[in-house]
């Protein structure tokens, strides 16, 4: 779709009255197709597909998203032990604070670069940014596994977050390879793969970290995996990313690289008010696009809550029971997260389509946020359980939490991408990713300090530490429900 240069006298009034979730443009079939434009070539394929689901393109979307998301959380199960081995924390209770800074360094890097990568994706195309992002995972995630000092671990995570700009263009890409009736499926694939990676990442970290101790019959302490106990999960993620990088050769480009002719401009001018809103450029400023802006707050606070939950769950589960934890090993929490990831995959592929069809993105996000409050509130009481009862409660809560989280995130992402036109999607997703990354950068630091404080005040008779953590998460979710 080219740039449309028109003058709309009541642009502000139209934007204010526009719906949050816009219907698809019916004029796509009659659009001008220009030879040599990859976006037009893709449009021709979509028009001739007869409404079929683009399985090949969505496979690439899911694969690249998975490879990009795995490095974000694969360190969570062994982060506590990694910081301990760096010998930077003076006491055991201070490890959570240092772990928070390590976890947030990736998001800080992404926050400063996401807008840039979104603009680049709008200017030169989605595919170059996606390829470069996967390449950065291959290089810097490997270097992170070889870290021997705390500052080296922080630096590699910071650079990885800065160079991995995939999230903004991949959401735009998932919308653009699908016809209008499959937009929800496209974003569902992104969020499923992203959420699956955020869950499987910790599982890989839990099972593969410290292999010389867990699997001495395979890995000796003198081997590279014995000298670098956290290298194996990182190099496993990097190898997957390298395979994905090769497969990107067959990814089609979706961006249009031409301007619309005058006849298309006249067509847009002649459209009714609602359709004119759909095809208008709205190039004045994204900050004046109130339907898009209204989703930003929910998106940011959801990211804050989700990241804080992910870090606190891992730290809480592996900490000693005398501090209110579960005394789990990294392998135990990895198993919990793996089961949660499997349930997430089943839900997104089979059930979410019906949830979206009957509830829509707004109501489903509200319901999911409300259910998350009830689920998170149950965690403090699990410390009184043991054996099969503890396993059943923890596995059930983790699976339900993953399901409601992906429901809310998919609904919010769908609203965001339908509120802007194609040549602004990369920038819009870049801005929202930057804002969300700042919140996600704050979350691990705040969660780490809160976790350390909770361990030091676990014996409080008025408000035990582990209950205070869950109370903060519940307050965050309350705010999210009110805004949505």
């Amino acid at each position: 779709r080219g740039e449309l240069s028109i003058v709309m006298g009541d642009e502000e009034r139209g934007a204010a009255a526009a719906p949050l979730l816009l219907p698809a443009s019916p004029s796509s079939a009659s659009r001008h197709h220009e030879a040599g434009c990859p976006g037009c070539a893709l449009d021709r394929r979509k028009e001739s597909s007869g409404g079929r689901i683009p399985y090949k393109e969505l496979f690439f979307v899911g694969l690249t998203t998975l490879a990009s998301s795995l490095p974000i959380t694969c360190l969570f199960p062994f982060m506590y032990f990694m910081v301990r081995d760096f010998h930077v924390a003076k006491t055991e209770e201070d490890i959570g604070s240092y772990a928070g800074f390590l976890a947030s360094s990736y998001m800080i890097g992404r926050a400063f670069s996401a807008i840039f990568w979104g603009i680049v994706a709008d200017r030169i195309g989605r595919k170059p940014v996606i390829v470069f992002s996967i390449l950065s995972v291959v290089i810097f995630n490997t270097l992170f596994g070889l870290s021997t000092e705390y500052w080296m671990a922080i630096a590699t995570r910071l650079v990885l977050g800065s160079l991995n700009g995939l999230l903004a263009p991949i959401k735009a890409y998932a919308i653009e390879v699908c016809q209008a009736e499959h937009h929800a499926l496209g974003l569902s694939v992104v969020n499923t793969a992203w959420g699956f990676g955020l869950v499987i990442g910790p599982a890989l970290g839990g099972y593969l970290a410290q292999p010389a101790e867990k699997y001495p019959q395979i890995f000796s302490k003198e081997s590279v995996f014995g000298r670098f106990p956290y290298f194996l999960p990182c190099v496993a993620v990097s190898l997957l990313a390298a395979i994905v990088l090769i497969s990107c050769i067959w990814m089609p480009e979706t961006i249009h690289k031409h301007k619309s002719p005058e006849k298309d401009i006249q067509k847009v001018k002649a459209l009714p008010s609602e359709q004119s809103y759909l095809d208008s450029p709205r190039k004045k400023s994204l900050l004046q696009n109130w339907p898009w802006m209204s989703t930003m707050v929910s998106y940011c606070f959801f990211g804050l809550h989700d990241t804080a939950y992910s870090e606190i769950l891992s730290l809480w589960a592996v900490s000693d029971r005398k501090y209110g934890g579960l005394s789990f090993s990294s392998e135990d929490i990895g198993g919990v997260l793996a089961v949660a990831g499997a349930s997430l995959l089943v839900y997104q592929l089979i059930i979410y389509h019906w949830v979206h069809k009957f509830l829509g993105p707004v109501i489903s996000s509200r319901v999911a946020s409300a259910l998350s409050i009830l689920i998170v509130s149950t965690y403090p009481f699990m410390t009184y359980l043991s054996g099969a009862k503890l396993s059943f409660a923890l596995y059930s809560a983790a699976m339900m939490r993953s399901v409601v989280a992906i429901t809310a995130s998919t609904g919010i992402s769908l609203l965001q991408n339908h509120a802007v036109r194609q040549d602004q999607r990369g920038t819009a997703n870049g801005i929202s990713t930057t804002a969300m990354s700042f919140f996600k950068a704050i979350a691990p630091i705040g969660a780490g300090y809160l976790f350390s404080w909770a361990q030091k005040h676990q014996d409080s008779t008025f408000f035990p530490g582990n209950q205070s953590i869950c109370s903060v998460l519940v307050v965050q979710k309350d705010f999210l429900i009110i805004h949505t």
Side-chain angles (χ1 to χ4, degrees), residues 327-351:
S327 296
F328 273 25
S329 66
S330 59
E331 187 176 358
D332 293 332
I333 189 61
V336 173
L337 295 174
V339 172
S343 66
L344 184 67
L345 184 62
V346 173
Y347 170 78
Q348 281 288 84
L349 294 179
I350 301 176
I351 303 174

Side-chain angles (χ1 to χ4, degrees), residues 377-461:
S377 300
T378 63
Y379 280 100
F381 304 101
M382 294 183 191
T383 56
Y384 301 107
L385 302 176
S386 61
K389 292 182 179 179
L390 173 60
S391 299
F392 176 78
L394 186 59
Y395 276 82
S396 300
M399 288 189 292
M400 289 188 291
R401 173 57 179 67
S402 296
V403 165
V404 297
I406 205 67
T407 301
S409 64
T410 302
I412 294 172
S413 296
L414 191 61
L415 294 173
Q416 280 187 325
N417 281 273
H418 272 115
V420 295
R421 51 175 286 162
Q422 185 195 24
D423 57 354
Q424 290 181 318
R425 272 194 197 121
T427 304
N429 281 307
I431 294 173
S432 61
T433 301
T434 292
M436 179 264 291
S437 296
F438 275 115
F439 278 76
K440 283 196 169 187
I442 296 171
I445 298 174
Y449 273 112
L450 180 62
F451 182 79
S452 295
W453 177 88
Q455 286 191 324
K456 295 175 182 178
H457 295 80
Q458 184 58 37
D459 295 331
S460 172
T461 57

Side-chain angles (χ1 to χ4, degrees), residues 82-341:
M82 191 180 201
V83 173
R84 182 198 63 190
D85 293 345
F86 286 146
H87 303 292
V88 292
K90 295 181 179 179
T91 64
E92 187 177 353
E93 291 87 347
D94 293 330
I95 291 178
S97 301
Y98 286 94
F101 281 105
L102 179 59
S104 68
S105 57
Y106 178 94
M107 291 300 167
I108 292 173
R110 192 172 76 174
F112 283 105
S113 65
I115 295 178
F116 169 77
W117 291 119
I119 295 173
V120 171
D122 281 340
R123 296 288 178 85
I124 68 173
R126 319 297 189 205
K127 184 175 178 177
V129 177
I130 292 172
V131 170
F132 185 81
S133 298
I134 299 299
L135 178 61
S136 69
V137 172
V138 175
I139 297 173
F140 290 98
N141 194 62
T142 302
L143 292 177
F144 172 72
L146 296 172
S147 299
T148 55
E149 300 287 343
Y150 183 69
W151 66 265
M152 182 179 177
I154 289 279
T156 52
R157 294 285 295 179
L158 184 67
V159 175
L160 176 58
S162 301
L163 298 182
N164 187 0
L166 181 132
L167 186 57
I170 201 65
K171 287 184 177 180
Y173 188 90
I175 287 285
E176 291 157 3
V177 296
C178 297
Q179 291 183 308
E181 61 267 28
H182 302 312
H183 283 179
L185 175 63
L187 276 178
S188 177
V189 169
V190 173
N191 285 299
T192 298
W194 191 265
F196 195 62
L198 296 183
V199 173
I200 294 302
L204 288 175
Y207 282 112
L208 300 181
Q210 300 170 317
E213 297 180 11
K214 296 177 182 176
Y215 317 109
Q217 66 278 14
I218 302 176
F219 303 97
S220 67
K221 292 187 177 181
E222 290 75 24
S223 67
V224 64
F225 299 110
R227 290 183 287 115
F228 300 96
Y230 311 106
F231 178 59
L232 183 58
C234 295
V235 76
V237 171
S238 297
L239 287 175
L240 174 63
I243 296 172
V244 173
L245 181 64
I246 297 173
S247 71
C248 287
I249 297 172
W250 294 278
M251 285 184 67
E253 180 58 75
T254 63
I255 198 73
H256 286 270
K257 297 184 178 180
H258 64 85
K259 293 185 178 180
S260 293
E262 181 66 26
K263 63 180 182 180
D264 284 348
I265 297 173
Q266 298 301 326
K267 285 180 183 179
V268 174
K269 287 183 178 180
L271 291 172
S273 58
E274 184 187 75
Q275 188 59 41
S276 178
Y277 177 83
L278 286 168
D279 285 354
S280 67
R282 285 173 278 167
K283 287 285 245 181
K284 254 180 116 176
S285 173
L286 280 171
L287 300 180
Q288 294 181 2
N289 186 338
W290 297 114
W292 175 73
M293 284 291 293
S294 66
T295 64
M296 285 281 289
V297 175
S298 296
Y299 189 61
C300 291
F301 272 90
F302 180 82
L304 174 71
H305 176 274
D306 201 43
T307 305
Y309 166 84
S310 297
E311 186 191 4
I312 287 176
L313 176 63
S314 296
L315 291 175
W316 169 68
V318 301
S319 62
D320 198 276
R321 278 190 175 269
K322 66 182 179 181
Y323 297 120
L326 299 179
S327 296
F328 273 25
S329 66
S330 59
E331 187 176 358
D332 293 332
I333 189 61
V336 173
L337 295 174
V339 172

